[in-house]
Coordinates of all heavy atoms in Angstrom, one line a residue:
M249 N -1.7 -4.7 12.3 CA -1.7 -3.2 12.6 C -2.1 -2.5 11.3 O -1.5 -2.7 10.3 CB -0.4 -2.8 13.1 CG -0.2 -1.3 13.1 SD 1.3 -0.8 14.0 CE 0.6 0.1 15.3
V250 N -3.1 -1.7 11.4 CA -3.6 -0.9 10.2 C -2.5 0.1 9.8 O -1.9 0.8 10.6 CB -4.9 -0.2 10.6 CG1 -5.3 0.7 9.5 CG2 -6.0 -1.2 10.9
K251 N -2.3 0.1 8.5 CA -1.4 1.1 7.9 C -2.1 2.4 7.7 O -2.6 2.7 6.6 CB -0.8 0.5 6.6 CG 0.0 -0.8 6.7 CD 1.2 -0.5 7.5 CE 2.1 -1.8 7.7 NZ 3.2 -1.6 8.4
V252 N -2.1 3.2 8.7 CA -2.8 4.5 8.7 C -2.4 5.4 7.6 O -3.3 6.0 6.9 CB -2.7 5.2 10.1 CG1 -3.3 6.5 10.1 CG2 -3.2 4.3 11.2
K253 N -1.1 5.5 7.3 CA -0.7 6.4 6.2 C -1.2 5.9 4.9 O -1.5 6.8 4.0 CB 0.9 6.4 6.2 CG 1.4 7.2 7.5 CD 2.9 7.3 7.5 CE 3.4 8.0 8.7 NZ 4.8 8.1 8.8
F254 N -1.3 4.6 4.6 CA -1.8 4.1 3.4 C -3.3 4.5 3.3 O -3.8 4.9 2.2 CB -1.6 2.6 3.2 CG -2.1 2.1 1.9 CD1 -1.5 2.5 0.7 CD2 -3.2 1.2 1.8 CE1 -2.0 2.0 -0.5 CE2 -3.7 0.8 0.6 CZ -3.1 1.2 -0.6
V255 N -4.0 4.3 4.4 CA -5.4 4.6 4.4 C -5.6 6.1 4.1 O -6.5 6.5 3.4 CB -6.1 4.3 5.8 CG1 -7.5 4.8 5.9 CG2 -6.1 2.7 5.9
Q256 N -4.7 7.0 4.7 CA -4.8 8.4 4.4 C -4.6 8.7 3.0 O -5.2 9.6 2.4 CB -3.8 9.1 5.3 CG -4.2 9.1 6.8 CD -3.0 9.7 7.7 OE1 -1.9 9.8 7.3 NE2 -3.4 10.1 8.9
L257 N -3.7 8.0 2.3 CA -3.5 8.2 0.9 C -4.7 7.9 0.1 O -5.1 8.6 -0.8 CB -2.3 7.4 0.4 CG -0.9 7.8 0.9 CD1 0.1 6.7 0.4 CD2 -0.5 9.2 0.4
L258 N -5.4 6.8 0.5 CA -6.7 6.5 -0.2 C -7.7 7.6 0.1 O -8.4 8.0 -0.9 CB -7.2 5.1 0.3 CG -6.4 3.9 -0.1 CD1 -7.0 2.7 0.6 CD2 -6.3 3.7 -1.6
E259 N -7.8 8.0 1.3 CA -8.8 9.0 1.7 C -8.6 10.3 1.0 O -9.5 11.0 0.6 CB -8.9 9.2 3.2 CG -9.5 8.0 3.9 CD -9.4 8.1 5.4 OE1 -8.6 8.9 5.9 OE2 -10.0 7.2 6.1
R260 N -7.3 10.7 0.8 CA -6.9 11.9 0.2 C -7.5 12.0 -1.2 O -7.8 13.1 -1.7 CB -5.4 12.0 0.1 CG -4.9 13.4 -0.2 CD -3.4 13.6 0.2 NE -2.5 12.9 -0.7 CZ -1.2 12.8 -0.5 NH1 -0.7 13.4 0.6 NH2 -0.4 12.2 -1.3
R261 N -7.6 10.8 -1.9 CA -8.2 10.8 -3.3 C -9.6 10.3 -3.2 O -10.2 10.0 -4.3 CB -7.4 9.8 -4.1 CG -5.9 10.3 -4.3 CD -5.9 11.5 -5.1 NE -5.3 11.3 -6.4 CZ -4.9 12.2 -7.2 NH1 -5.1 13.5 -6.9 NH2 -4.4 11.9 -8.3
S262 N -10.2 10.2 -2.1 CA -11.6 9.8 -1.9 C -11.9 8.4 -2.5 O -12.9 8.2 -3.2 CB -12.6 10.8 -2.5 OG -12.4 12.0 -1.8
L263 N -10.9 7.5 -2.3 CA -11.0 6.2 -2.9 C -11.3 5.1 -1.8 O -10.6 5.1 -0.8 CB -9.7 5.8 -3.6 CG -9.3 6.5 -4.9 CD1 -7.9 6.2 -5.3 CD2 -10.3 6.2 -6.0
S264 N -12.3 4.2 -2.1 CA -12.4 3.1 -1.3 C -11.4 2.0 -1.7 O -10.8 2.1 -2.7 CB -13.9 2.5 -1.5 OG -14.0 1.9 -2.7
Q265 N -11.2 1.0 -0.9 CA -10.3 -0.1 -1.2 C -10.7 -0.7 -2.5 O -9.9 -1.1 -3.4 CB -10.2 -1.1 -0.1 CG -9.6 -0.6 1.2 CD -9.6 -1.6 2.3 OE1 -9.5 -2.8 2.0 NE2 -9.7 -1.1 3.5
E266 N -12.0 -0.9 -2.7 CA -12.5 -1.6 -3.9 C -12.3 -0.7 -5.1 O -11.9 -1.2 -6.2 CB -14.0 -1.8 -3.7 CG -14.6 -2.7 -4.8 CD -16.0 -3.1 -4.5 OE1 -16.5 -3.0 -3.4 OE2 -16.7 -3.7 -5.5
Q267 N -12.6 0.6 -5.0 CA -12.3 1.5 -6.1 C -10.8 1.5 -6.5 O -10.5 1.5 -7.7 CB -12.8 2.9 -5.8 CG -14.3 3.1 -5.7 CD -14.6 4.4 -5.1 OE1 -13.9 4.9 -4.2 NE2 -15.7 5.0 -5.6
F268 N -10.0 1.6 -5.5 CA -8.5 1.6 -5.7 C -8.1 0.3 -6.4 O -7.4 0.4 -7.4 CB -7.8 1.8 -4.4 CG -6.3 1.7 -4.5 CD1 -5.6 2.8 -5.0 CD2 -5.6 0.6 -4.0 CE1 -4.2 2.7 -5.1 CE2 -4.2 0.6 -4.1 CZ -3.5 1.6 -4.6
A269 N -8.6 -0.8 -6.0 CA -8.2 -2.1 -6.6 C -8.6 -2.2 -8.0 O -7.9 -2.6 -8.9 CB -8.8 -3.3 -5.8
E270 N -9.8 -1.6 -8.3 CA -10.3 -1.7 -9.7 C -9.5 -0.8 -10.6 O -9.1 -1.2 -11.7 CB -11.8 -1.2 -9.7 CG -12.4 -1.3 -11.1 CD -13.9 -1.0 -11.1 OE1 -14.6 -1.2 -10.0 OE2 -14.4 -0.5 -12.1
I271 N -9.3 0.4 -10.2 CA -8.5 1.4 -11.0 C -7.0 0.9 -11.2 O -6.6 0.9 -12.4 CB -8.4 2.8 -10.3 CG1 -9.8 3.4 -10.3 CG2 -7.5 3.7 -11.0 CD1 -10.0 4.6 -9.4
V272 N -6.4 0.4 -10.2 CA -5.1 -0.1 -10.3 C -5.0 -1.4 -11.1 O -4.1 -1.5 -12.0 CB -4.4 -0.4 -8.9 CG1 -3.1 -1.1 -9.0 CG2 -4.2 0.9 -8.1
G273 N -6.0 -2.2 -10.9 CA -6.1 -3.5 -11.7 C -6.2 -3.2 -13.2 O -5.5 -3.9 -14.0
V274 N -7.0 -2.2 -13.6 CA -7.1 -1.9 -15.0 C -5.7 -1.4 -15.6 O -5.3 -1.8 -16.6 CB -8.2 -0.8 -15.3 CG1 -8.1 -0.3 -16.7 CG2 -9.5 -1.5 -15.0
A275 N -5.1 -0.5 -14.8 CA -3.8 0.1 -15.2 C -2.7 -1.0 -15.3 O -1.9 -1.1 -16.2 CB -3.4 1.2 -14.3
W276 N -2.6 -1.8 -14.3 CA -1.6 -2.9 -14.2 C -1.8 -3.9 -15.3 O -0.9 -4.5 -15.9 CB -1.7 -3.6 -12.9 CG -1.0 -2.9 -11.8 CD1 -0.5 -1.6 -11.8 CD2 -0.7 -3.3 -10.4 NE1 0.1 -1.3 -10.6 CE2 -0.1 -2.3 -9.7 CE3 -1.0 -4.6 -9.8 CZ2 0.3 -2.5 -8.4 CZ3 -0.7 -4.7 -8.5 CH2 0.0 -3.7 -7.8
A277 N -3.1 -4.2 -15.7 CA -3.4 -5.2 -16.7 C -2.7 -4.7 -18.0 O -2.2 -5.6 -18.8 CB -4.9 -5.3 -16.9
R278 N -2.7 -3.4 -18.3 CA -2.1 -2.9 -19.5 C -0.5 -3.0 -19.5 O 0.1 -3.2 -20.5 CB -2.5 -1.5 -19.7 CG -3.9 -1.3 -19.9 CD -4.3 0.2 -20.2 NE -5.7 0.4 -20.2 CZ -6.3 1.5 -19.8 NH1 -5.6 2.5 -19.4 NH2 -7.6 1.5 -19.9
I279 N 0.1 -2.8 -18.3 CA 1.5 -2.8 -18.3 C 2.2 -4.0 -17.8 O 3.3 -4.3 -18.3 CB 2.0 -1.6 -17.4 CG1 1.6 -1.8 -15.9 CG2 1.6 -0.3 -17.9 CD1 2.2 -0.9 -15.0
S280 N 1.6 -4.8 -17.0 CA 2.2 -6.0 -16.5 C 1.3 -7.3 -16.5 O 1.8 -8.4 -16.3 CB 2.7 -5.8 -15.1 OG 1.6 -5.7 -14.2
G281 N 0.1 -7.1 -16.8 CA -0.8 -8.3 -16.8 C -1.3 -8.7 -15.5 O -2.1 -9.6 -15.4
R282 N -0.8 -8.0 -14.4 CA -1.3 -8.4 -13.1 C -2.6 -7.8 -12.7 O -3.0 -6.7 -13.3 CB -0.2 -7.9 -12.1 CG 1.0 -8.7 -12.0 CD 2.0 -8.3 -10.9 NE 1.4 -8.1 -9.6 CZ 2.1 -7.6 -8.6 NH1 3.3 -7.3 -8.7 NH2 1.5 -7.4 -7.4
K283 N -3.3 -8.4 -11.9 CA -4.6 -7.9 -11.3 C -4.3 -7.6 -9.9 O -3.4 -8.0 -9.2 CB -5.7 -9.0 -11.4 CG -6.0 -9.3 -12.9 CD -7.1 -10.4 -12.9 CE -7.4 -10.7 -14.3 NZ -8.5 -11.7 -14.4
L284 N -5.2 -6.7 -9.4 CA -5.2 -6.4 -7.9 C -6.6 -6.5 -7.4 O -7.5 -5.9 -7.8 CB -4.7 -4.9 -7.8 CG -4.6 -4.4 -6.3 CD1 -3.6 -5.2 -5.5 CD2 -4.3 -3.0 -6.2
S285 N -6.7 -7.4 -6.4 CA -8.0 -7.7 -5.8 C -8.2 -6.7 -4.6 O -7.3 -6.2 -4.0 CB -8.1 -9.1 -5.3 OG -7.3 -9.4 -4.3
R286 N -9.5 -6.6 -4.2 CA -9.8 -5.8 -3.0 C -9.2 -6.5 -1.8 O -8.8 -5.9 -0.9 CB -11.3 -5.7 -2.9 CG -11.8 -4.8 -1.7 CD -13.2 -4.9 -1.4 NE -13.7 -6.3 -1.2 CZ -13.5 -7.0 -0.1 NH1 -12.8 -6.5 0.9 NH2 -13.9 -8.2 0.1
Q287 N -9.2 -7.8 -1.8 CA -8.6 -8.6 -0.7 C -7.1 -8.3 -0.6 O -6.6 -8.2 0.6 CB -8.8 -10.1 -0.9 CG -10.2 -10.5 -0.8 CD -11.0 -10.4 -2.1 OE1 -10.5 -9.9 -3.1 NE2 -12.3 -10.7 -2.1
S288 N -6.4 -8.1 -1.7 CA -5.0 -7.7 -1.6 C -4.8 -6.4 -1.0 O -4.0 -6.2 -0.1 CB -4.3 -7.8 -3.0 OG -4.3 -9.1 -3.5
V289 N -5.7 -5.4 -1.4 CA -5.6 -4.1 -0.8 C -5.9 -4.1 0.6 O -5.2 -3.5 1.5 CB -6.6 -3.1 -1.6 CG1 -6.6 -1.7 -0.9 CG2 -6.2 -3.0 -3.1
N290 N -6.9 -4.9 1.0 CA -7.2 -5.0 2.4 C -6.1 -5.6 3.2 O -5.8 -5.2 4.4 CB -8.5 -5.9 2.6 CG -9.0 -5.9 4.0 OD1 -8.6 -6.8 4.8 ND2 -9.8 -5.0 4.4
S291 N -5.3 -6.5 2.6 CA -4.1 -7.1 3.3 C -3.1 -6.0 3.5 O -2.4 -6.0 4.5 CB -3.6 -8.3 2.5 OG -4.4 -9.4 2.6
W292 N -2.9 -5.1 2.5 CA -2.0 -4.0 2.6 C -2.4 -3.1 3.8 O -1.6 -2.7 4.6 CB -1.9 -3.2 1.4 CG -1.4 -3.9 0.1 CD1 -1.0 -5.2 0.1 CD2 -1.3 -3.4 -1.2 NE1 -0.6 -5.5 -1.2 CE2 -0.8 -4.4 -2.0 CE3 -1.7 -2.2 -1.7 CZ2 -0.6 -4.2 -3.4 CZ3 -1.5 -2.0 -3.1 CH2 -0.9 -3.0 -3.9
V293 N -3.7 -2.8 3.8 CA -4.3 -1.9 4.8 C -4.1 -2.5 6.2 O -3.7 -1.8 7.2 CB -5.8 -1.5 4.6 CG1 -6.4 -0.9 5.7 CG2 -5.9 -0.7 3.3
R294 N -4.3 -3.7 6.4 CA -4.2 -4.4 7.7 C -2.8 -4.7 8.1 O -2.6 -5.2 9.2 CB -5.1 -5.7 7.6 CG -6.5 -5.4 7.4 CD -7.3 -5.5 8.6 NE -8.7 -5.2 8.3 CZ -9.4 -4.1 8.8 NH1 -8.8 -3.3 9.6 NH2 -10.6 -4.0 8.4
G295 N -1.9 -4.5 7.2 CA -0.5 -4.8 7.5 C -0.1 -6.3 7.4 O 0.9 -6.7 7.9
R296 N -0.9 -7.1 6.8 CA -0.7 -8.5 6.6 C 0.3 -8.8 5.5 O 0.9 -9.8 5.5 CB -2.0 -9.2 6.4 CG -2.9 -9.2 7.5 CD -4.1 -10.1 7.3 NE -5.2 -9.8 8.2 CZ -6.4 -9.6 7.9 NH1 -6.8 -9.6 6.6 NH2 -7.3 -9.2 8.8
S297 N 0.4 -7.9 4.6 CA 1.3 -8.0 3.5 C 1.8 -6.7 3.0 O 1.1 -5.6 3.2 CB 0.7 -8.8 2.3 OG -0.3 -8.1 1.7
I298 N 2.9 -6.7 2.3 CA 3.5 -5.5 1.7 C 3.6 -5.7 0.2 O 4.1 -6.8 -0.2 CB 4.9 -5.2 2.3 CG1 4.8 -4.9 3.8 CG2 5.6 -4.0 1.6 CD1 6.1 -4.8 4.5
P299 N 3.1 -4.8 -0.6 CA 3.1 -5.0 -2.0 C 4.6 -5.1 -2.6 O 5.5 -4.4 -2.1 CB 2.5 -3.8 -2.6 CG 2.5 -2.7 -1.5 CD 2.6 -3.4 -0.2
R300 N 4.7 -6.1 -3.5 CA 6.0 -6.2 -4.2 C 5.7 -5.7 -5.6 O 4.9 -6.4 -6.4 CB 6.4 -7.7 -4.3 CG 6.8 -8.2 -2.9 CD 7.3 -9.6 -2.9 NE 7.5 -10.0 -1.5 CZ 8.3 -11.0 -1.2 NH1 8.8 -11.8 -2.2 NH2 8.5 -11.3 0.0
L301 N 6.3 -4.6 -6.0 CA 5.9 -3.9 -7.2 C 7.1 -3.8 -8.1 O 8.2 -3.5 -7.7 CB 5.4 -2.5 -6.8 CG 4.3 -2.4 -5.8 CD1 4.1 -0.9 -5.4 CD2 3.0 -3.0 -6.3
S302 N 6.8 -3.8 -9.4 CA 7.8 -3.5 -10.4 C 7.8 -2.0 -10.5 O 7.0 -1.3 -10.0 CB 7.3 -4.0 -11.8 OG 6.2 -3.3 -12.3
P303 N 8.9 -1.4 -11.1 CA 9.0 0.0 -11.2 C 7.7 0.6 -11.9 O 7.2 1.7 -11.5 CB 10.2 0.3 -12.0 CG 11.1 -0.9 -11.7 CD 10.1 -2.1 -11.5
A304 N 7.3 0.0 -13.0 CA 6.1 0.5 -13.7 C 4.9 0.5 -12.8 O 4.1 1.4 -12.8 CB 5.9 -0.3 -15.0
E305 N 4.7 -0.6 -12.1 CA 3.5 -0.7 -11.2 C 3.6 0.4 -10.1 O 2.6 1.0 -9.7 CB 3.4 -2.1 -10.5 CG 3.1 -3.2 -11.5 CD 3.3 -4.6 -11.0 OE1 4.0 -4.8 -10.0 OE2 2.8 -5.5 -11.6
T306 N 4.8 0.6 -9.6 CA 5.0 1.7 -8.6 C 4.6 3.0 -9.1 O 3.9 3.8 -8.5 CB 6.4 1.7 -8.1 OG1 6.8 0.4 -7.6 CG2 6.7 2.8 -7.0
L307 N 5.0 3.3 -10.3 CA 4.6 4.6 -11.0 C 3.1 4.8 -11.1 O 2.5 5.8 -10.9 CB 5.3 4.7 -12.3 CG 6.8 4.9 -12.3 CD1 7.4 4.9 -13.7 CD2 7.2 6.2 -11.6
V308 N 2.4 3.6 -11.4 CA 1.0 3.7 -11.5 C 0.4 4.0 -10.2 O -0.5 4.9 -10.1 CB 0.4 2.3 -12.0 CG1 -1.1 2.2 -11.8 CG2 0.8 2.1 -13.4
L309 N 0.8 3.4 -9.1 CA 0.3 3.8 -7.8 C 0.6 5.2 -7.4 O -0.3 5.9 -6.8 CB 1.0 2.9 -6.7 CG 0.6 1.4 -6.7 CD1 1.1 0.7 -5.5 CD2 -0.9 1.1 -6.8
L310 N 1.8 5.7 -7.7 CA 2.1 7.1 -7.4 C 1.1 8.0 -8.1 O 0.6 9.0 -7.6 CB 3.5 7.4 -7.8 CG 4.6 6.7 -7.1 CD1 6.0 7.0 -7.6 CD2 4.5 6.9 -5.6
E311 N 0.8 7.7 -9.4 CA -0.1 8.6 -10.2 C -1.5 8.5 -9.6 O -2.2 9.5 -9.5 CB 0.0 8.2 -11.6 CG -0.9 9.1 -12.5 CD -0.7 8.7 -14.0 OE1 0.3 8.2 -14.4 OE2 -1.7 9.0 -14.7
I312 N -2.0 7.3 -9.4 CA -3.4 7.1 -8.9 C -3.5 7.8 -7.5 O -4.6 8.4 -7.2 CB -3.8 5.7 -8.9 CG1 -3.9 5.2 -10.3 CG2 -5.0 5.4 -8.1 CD1 -4.0 3.7 -10.5
L313 N -2.6 7.6 -6.6 CA -2.7 8.1 -5.3 C -2.3 9.6 -5.2 O -2.5 10.3 -4.2 CB -1.8 7.3 -4.3 CG -2.3 5.9 -4.0 CD1 -1.3 5.1 -3.2 CD2 -3.7 5.9 -3.3
G314 N -1.6 10.1 -6.2 CA -1.2 11.5 -6.2 C -0.2 11.8 -5.1 O -0.3 12.8 -4.4
C315 N 0.7 10.8 -4.9 CA 1.7 11.0 -3.8 C 3.1 10.8 -4.3 O 3.3 10.5 -5.5 CB 1.4 9.9 -2.7 SG 1.7 8.2 -3.2
T316 N 4.1 11.1 -3.5 CA 5.5 10.9 -3.9 C 5.9 9.5 -3.5 O 5.3 8.7 -2.8 CB 6.4 11.9 -3.0 OG1 6.3 11.5 -1.7 CG2 5.9 13.3 -3.3
L317 N 7.1 9.1 -4.0 CA 7.6 7.8 -3.7 C 7.9 7.7 -2.2 O 7.7 6.6 -1.6 CB 8.9 7.5 -4.5 CG 9.6 6.2 -4.4 CD1 8.6 5.1 -4.7 CD2 10.8 6.1 -5.3
T318 N 8.4 8.7 -1.6 CA 8.7 8.7 -0.2 C 7.4 8.5 0.6 O 7.3 7.7 1.5 CB 9.3 10.1 0.2 OG1 10.5 10.2 -0.5 CG2 9.6 10.1 1.7
E319 N 6.3 9.2 0.2 CA 5.0 9.0 0.9 C 4.5 7.5 0.8 O 4.0 6.9 1.8 CB 3.9 9.9 0.4 CG 4.1 11.3 0.7 CD 3.1 12.2 0.0 OE1 3.0 12.2 -1.2 OE2 2.4 13.0 0.8
L320 N 4.7 7.0 -0.4 CA 4.2 5.6 -0.6 C 5.1 4.6 0.2 O 4.6 3.7 0.9 CB 4.3 5.2 -2.1 CG 3.8 3.8 -2.4 CD1 2.3 3.7 -2.1 CD2 4.0 3.5 -3.9
A321 N 6.4 4.8 0.2 CA 7.3 3.9 1.0 C 7.0 4.1 2.5 O 6.9 3.1 3.2 CB 8.7 4.3 0.8
M322 N 6.7 5.3 3.0 CA 6.4 5.5 4.4 C 5.1 4.9 4.8 O 4.9 4.5 5.9 CB 6.5 7.0 4.7 CG 7.8 7.6 4.4 SD 8.7 8.6 5.6 CE 7.9 8.5 7.1
A323 N 4.2 4.8 3.8 CA 2.9 4.2 4.1 C 3.0 2.7 4.5 O 2.1 2.2 5.2 CB 1.9 4.3 2.9
F324 N 4.1 2.0 4.0 CA 4.2 0.6 4.3 C 5.4 0.3 5.3 O 5.7 -0.8 5.5 CB 4.4 -0.2 3.0 CG 3.2 -0.2 2.2 CD1 3.1 0.6 1.1 CD2 2.1 -0.9 2.6 CE1 1.9 0.7 0.3 CE2 0.9 -0.9 1.8 CZ 0.8 -0.1 0.7
Q325 N 6.0 1.4 5.8 CA 7.1 1.3 6.7 C 6.6 0.6 8.0 O 5.5 1.0 8.5 CB 7.7 2.6 7.0 CG 8.9 2.6 8.0 CD 9.4 4.0 8.2 OE1 8.9 5.0 7.6 NE2 10.5 4.1 8.9
E326 N 7.4 -0.3 8.6 CA 7.0 -0.9 9.9 C 7.2 0.2 11.0 O 8.1 1.0 11.0 CB 7.9 -2.1 10.2 CG 7.6 -3.3 9.4 CD 8.3 -4.5 9.9 OE1 8.6 -4.6 11.1 OE2 8.7 -5.3 9.1
S327 N 6.3 0.2 11.9 CA 6.4 1.1 13.0 C 7.4 0.6 14.0 O 7.7 -0.6 14.1 CB 5.0 1.3 13.7 OG 4.6 0.0 14.3
P328 N 8.0 1.5 14.8 CA 9.1 1.1 15.7 C 8.7 0.0 16.7 O 9.5 -0.8 17.0 CB 9.5 2.4 16.4 CG 9.0 3.5 15.5 CD 7.8 2.9 14.8
D329 N 7.5 0.0 17.1 CA 7.0 -1.0 18.1 C 6.9 -2.4 17.5 O 6.8 -3.4 18.2 CB 5.7 -0.6 18.7 CG 4.6 -0.5 17.7 OD1 4.8 0.1 16.7 OD2 3.5 -1.0 18.0
Q330 N 7.1 -2.5 16.2 CA 7.1 -3.8 15.5 C 8.5 -4.4 15.3 O 8.6 -5.4 14.7 CB 6.3 -3.8 14.2 CG 4.8 -3.5 14.3 CD 4.2 -3.4 13.0 OE1 4.7 -2.9 12.0 NE2 3.0 -4.0 12.9
S331 N 9.5 -3.7 15.6 CA 10.9 -4.0 15.3 C 11.2 -5.3 16.1 O 11.0 -5.4 17.3 CB 11.8 -2.9 15.7 OG 13.1 -3.3 15.6
P332 N 11.8 -6.3 15.4 CA 12.2 -7.5 16.1 C 13.4 -7.3 17.1 O 13.6 -8.1 18.0 CB 12.6 -8.5 15.0 CG 12.9 -7.6 13.8 CD 12.1 -6.4 14.0
D333 N 14.1 -6.2 17.0 CA 15.3 -6.0 17.8 C 14.9 -5.5 19.2 O 15.7 -5.6 20.1 CB 16.2 -4.9 17.2 CG 16.8 -5.4 15.9 OD1 17.0 -6.6 15.7 OD2 17.2 -4.5 15.1
Q334 N 13.7 -5.0 19.4 CA 13.2 -4.5 20.7 C 13.1 -5.6 21.7 O 13.3 -5.3 22.9 CB 11.9 -3.8 20.6 CG 12.1 -2.4 20.0 CD 10.8 -1.6 20.1 OE1 9.7 -2.1 20.2 NE2 11.0 -0.3 20.2
S335 N 12.9 -6.8 21.3 CA 12.8 -7.9 22.4 C 14.1 -8.1 23.1 O 14.1 -8.6 24.2 CB 12.3 -9.2 21.7 OG 13.3 -9.6 20.7
S336 N 15.2 -7.8 22.5 CA 16.5 -8.0 23.1 C 16.9 -6.8 24.0 O 17.9 -6.8 24.6 CB 17.6 -8.3 22.1 OG 17.7 -7.2 21.2
E337 N 16.1 -5.7 24.0 CA 16.5 -4.5 24.7 C 16.0 -4.6 26.1 O 16.1 -3.6 26.9 CB 15.9 -3.3 24.0 CG 16.5 -3.0 22.7 CD 15.9 -1.8 22.0 OE1 15.1 -1.1 22.7 OE2 16.2 -1.5 20.9
S338 N 15.4 -5.6 26.6 CA 14.8 -5.7 27.9 C 15.8 -6.0 29.0 O 15.4 -6.2 30.2 CB 13.7 -6.7 27.9 OG 14.2 -8.0 27.6
E339 N 17.1 -5.9 28.7 CA 18.1 -6.3 29.8 C 18.3 -5.1 30.7 O 18.2 -4.0 30.5 CB 19.4 -6.6 29.1 CG 19.3 -7.9 28.3 CD 20.6 -8.2 27.7 OE1 21.4 -8.8 28.4 OE2 20.8 -7.9 26.5

């Protein structure tokens, strides 16, 4: 399932997935030595993975995306229809 809110954050800054990965990768290399590939960003967009970030890496994303911590967290929140508890509600 596409993470629409994350895509909107990218679009708000007119960033492609590749541009975002490059900008973040340069910044992360300075603070944590980690790289970010376009494939990783694509996995985030497609909902295949959720980023595991250090506090410093999170701050970098907030600055680059120009968003709040709440907006970033909500961009990766599971939608209610993906909840594993719903399968037991069919009684």
Side-chain angles (χ1 to χ4, degrees):
M249 168 171 242
V250 174
K251 298 295 184 181
V252 175
K253 291 181 182 178
F254 181 66
V255 171
Q256 290 171 341
L257 291 175
L258 292 174
E259 290 174 347
R260 192 162 77 184
R261 295 296 247 194
S262 301
L263 291 171
S264 69
Q265 292 178 30
E266 188 171 348
Q267 291 169 323
F268 177 73
E270 184 177 329
I271 293 167
V272 172
V274 168
W276 281 6
R278 293 182 189 150
I279 60 168
S280 67
R282 281 182 54 184
K283 295 180 181 181
L284 180 64
S285 68
R286 184 192 55 75
Q287 291 84 359
S288 293
V289 175
N290 188 267
S291 289
W292 296 357
V293 167
R294 301 260 179 241
R296 292 186 197 131
S297 66
I298 296 174
R300 293 181 183 198
L301 308 171
S302 72
E305 292 168 343
T306 301
L307 290 174
V308 167
L309 292 189
L310 297 178
E311 185 175 329
I312 291 169
L313 292 172
C315 67
T316 66
L317 183 56
T318 302
E319 288 175 308
L320 185 62
M322 301 229 9
F324 293 104
Q325 181 178 2
E326 287 190 31
S327 61
D329 61 315
Q330 291 179 321
S331 173
D333 294 335
Q334 282 192 333
S335 60
S336 64
E337 292 180 9
S338 61
E339 296 181 81

